């Protein structure tokens, strides 16, 4: 690693309450017990975390795997009890980002990813102009640096600010937010403004056993091993460079006899030695001299198991399966299976935390704003606290063998331990829409006289007959258009 990062590690060793007492000791010298101390420690780690994400390919890949597995590349998908809210939400989700760069789902993904890198992240509600069809709020993603870790004071109104978060007693009521990024150039002093807790959501993982108000980067336990792995790889590269730099040495034989047996070494006409290359004699060596090649020990055989050992420690420090972090699928043992099972439980816990800290509050704000602006009328006799009733699905890539994953889900459905709708929602699909699409496809196949290799069967009911009739009308129109196109050479109208 660079000298700058080494200096950061040295600073942490000498100032952090978790650091070692000496360069060769891992015994903690104390414990941070107050929220302010924890926040100060988190701020120092934040500098390393940002650098590591930008420059350490292993940690970057680990973070991306974590984000994909927990939040999914497209983010969470809410399923409303009142289905008429779905269309309204879909319109709003495309415009949720004030910058216009990301839809709602990917905003949540980015917020979660940044909270794991930096320790915490924030989402601020921004009210916008009402256009008559879209709920007039947006979600502004704020990095951890926008809420100062070292802002601690007793306020005149009896409240207290700890690590940039304002409390009345033990109740969180708001945040002190910088008016611009602290690292950005600006005119005038850097100031903060108060933002109510109703208008800002805080994504973080509390430190176990501590009264923490700010989170700590997920990679904190992996930094030491990642640093050692980087240093080891640097030394291994230097060793191999040395081996290639010194390919051979000229040695004085002091009149002793010699045998020319080294590759590319030939005897010259005057009794000397030379190095011969494809193009001829490359270098002539005087008589009485010889060429010897150094016997530099190659440590490659021992490097691989040592690197894997460090990689296993790094993965365990991140609470992630080794195979997925490093792409090494050579291990098919029970340890890998146990790691995947543990991570499955961890991912569910993180999703529950995200729903509590962000998703449920965003949906509640979305629905109440939609009602306030007349975009949705709640059904009669439904209490206000039930307006935003919903479930959240988290479509994400599988971190297990895909065939085994599908087979396990099928067996779980057959055994009655999980609902089919739940499994479908985990893929990001709506079960009702999926069933309707399958029914229309089977009806179309039946009308056209073709068969599909599918275990889904078509049973005649009142609704299925209506679907068949609907498909018949659309197919008749399509076939008529095709016939007309064949007759006059016109372009087929795709409608």
């Amino acid at each position: 690693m660079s000298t700058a990062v080494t200096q950061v590690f040295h600073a942490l060793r000498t100032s952090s309450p978790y650091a070692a007492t000496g360069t060769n000791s891992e015994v903690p010298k104390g414990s941070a017990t107050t929220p302010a101390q924890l926040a100060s420690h988190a701020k120092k780690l934040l500098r390393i975390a940002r650098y590591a994400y930008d420059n350490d390919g292993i940690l970057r890949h680990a973070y991306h795997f974590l984000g994909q597995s927990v939040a999914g590349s497209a983010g969470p998908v809410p399923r409303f009890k009142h289905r008429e809210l779905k269309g309204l939400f879909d319109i709003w989700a495309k415009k949720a980002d004030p910058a216009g760069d990301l839809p709602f789902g990917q905003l949540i993904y980015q917020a979660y990813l940044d909270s794991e890198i930096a320790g915490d992240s924030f989402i601020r509600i921004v009210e916008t102009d009402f256009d008559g069809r879209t709920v007039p709020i947006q979600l502004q993603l704020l990095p951890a640096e926008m809420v100062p870790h070292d802002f601690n004071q007793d306020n005149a109104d009896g409240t207290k600010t700890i690590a940039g978060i304002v409390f009345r007693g033990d109740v969180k009521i708001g945040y002190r937010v910088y008016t611009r990024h602290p690292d950005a150039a600006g005119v005038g002093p850097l100031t903060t403004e108060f933002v109510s807790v109703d208008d800002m959501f805080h994504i973080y993982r509390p430190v176990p056993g501590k009264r923490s108000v700010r989170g700590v980067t997920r990679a904190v336990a992996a930094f030491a091993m990642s640093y050692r792995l980087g240093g080891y790889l640097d030394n291994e590269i230097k060793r191999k460079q040395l081996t290639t730099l010194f390919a051979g040495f000229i040695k004085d034989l002091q009149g002793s006899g010699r045998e020319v047996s080294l590759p590319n070494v030939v005897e010259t006409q005057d009794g000397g030695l030379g190095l011969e290359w494809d193009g001829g004699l490359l270098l002539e060596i005087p008589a009485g001299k010889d060429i010897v090649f150094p016997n530099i020990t190659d440590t490659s055989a021992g490097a691989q198991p040592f690197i894997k050992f460090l990689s296993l420690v790094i993965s365990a420090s991140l609470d992630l399966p080794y195979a997925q972090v490093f792409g090494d699928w050579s291990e098919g043992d029970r340890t890998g299976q146990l790691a995947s099972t543990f991570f499955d439980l961890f991912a569910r816990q993180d999703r529950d935390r995200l729903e509590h800290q962000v998703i449920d509050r965003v949906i509640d704000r979305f629905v109440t704003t939609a009602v306030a602006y007349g975009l949705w009328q709640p059904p009669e006799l439904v209490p206000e606290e039930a307006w935003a009733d919903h479930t959240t699905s988290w479509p994400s890539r599988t971190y297990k063998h895909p065939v085994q994953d599908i087979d396990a889900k099928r067996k779980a459905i057959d055994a009655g331990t999980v609902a089919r709708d739940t499994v479908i929602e985990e893929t990001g699909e709506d079960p009702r829409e999926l069933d309707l699409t399958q029914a229309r496809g089977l009806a179309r196949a039946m009308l056209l006289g073709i068969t599909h290799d599918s275990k889904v069967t078509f049973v005649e009911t009142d609704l299925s007959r209506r679907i068949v009739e609907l498909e018949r009308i659309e197919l008749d129109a399509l076939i008529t258009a095709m016939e007309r196109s064949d007759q006059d050479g016109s372009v087929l109208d795709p409608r």
Side-chain angles (χ1 to χ4, degrees), residues 140-328:
Q140 182 184 17
L141 180 58
L142 299 177
E145 292 88 342
M146 289 297 289
V147 177
H149 289 79
D150 49 5
F151 193 124
N152 302 286
Q153 69 177 25
D154 293 327
N155 304 313
D157 60 357
T159 61
K160 179 178 293 187
T161 302
I162 304 173
I165 303 177
V166 184
F167 292 86
R168 177 171 285 113
D170 291 331
V171 179
K172 185 187 302 185
I173 64 171
Y175 305 87
R176 302 302 309 187
V177 182
Y178 282 126
T179 53
R180 57 179 170 84
H181 197 286
D183 295 330
V187 179
L190 183 62
T191 60
T192 64
E193 60 180 345
F194 176 81
V195 179
S196 170
V197 72
D198 294 331
D199 295 325
M200 195 141 142
F201 312 132
H202 185 193
I203 305 173
Y204 81 112
R205 181 182 295 103
V207 179
K210 307 289 183 180
R211 187 177 176 273
S212 60
V213 297
R214 301 293 296 264
V216 177
T217 173
R218 164 176 287 274
V220 59
F223 282 148
M225 283 298 139
S226 181
Y227 176 65
R228 289 182 173 90
L229 177 59
Y232 177 81
L233 292 176
D234 285 344
N235 291 333
E236 191 64 29
I237 291 172
K238 290 175 183 176
R239 186 189 303 276
K240 295 187 181 302
Q241 288 175 335
L242 275 175
T243 305
T244 58
L245 279 175
F246 300 100
F249 298 92
I250 299 175
K251 181 180 180 181
D252 190 346
L253 298 179
Q254 298 179 349
S256 63
R258 64 183 183 274
E259 293 183 2
V260 181
S261 60
L262 298 172
N264 297 328
V265 179
V266 296
E267 189 169 1
T268 60
Q269 293 179 353
D270 60 357
L273 294 177
L275 277 176
E276 187 179 50
W277 209 250
D278 292 341
L281 194 65
L282 180 66
L283 174 66
E284 184 175 350
I285 302 172
K289 307 290 184 181
D290 201 349
I291 299 175
V292 295
F293 290 84
N295 185 21
I296 298 178
T297 303
D298 187 359
T299 61
S300 299
Q304 184 174 356
F306 182 68
I307 291 173
K308 184 171 184 177
F309 169 74
L310 290 180
S311 302
L312 286 166
V313 175
I314 291 172
S315 301
S317 302
L318 293 166
D319 291 328
L320 299 178
Y322 160 78
Q324 283 83 356
V325 174
F326 288 89
D328 182 2

Side-chain angles (χ1 to χ4, degrees), residues 11 40 55 165 233 237 279 304 308 355 399 404 439-440 492:
S40 176
N55 296 276
I165 303 177
L233 292 176
I237 291 172
Q304 184 174 356
K308 184 171 184 177
E355 290 181 29
Y399 38 85
Q404 294 176 353
R440 295 192 63 171
L492 177 64

Side-chain angles (χ1 to χ4, degrees), residues 355-366:
E355 290 181 29
H356 177 73
Q357 292 180 344
V358 185
I359 306 299
D360 293 346
R361 296 178 62 194
V362 168
I363 296 300
D364 185 69
R365 182 67 173 267
F366 166 82

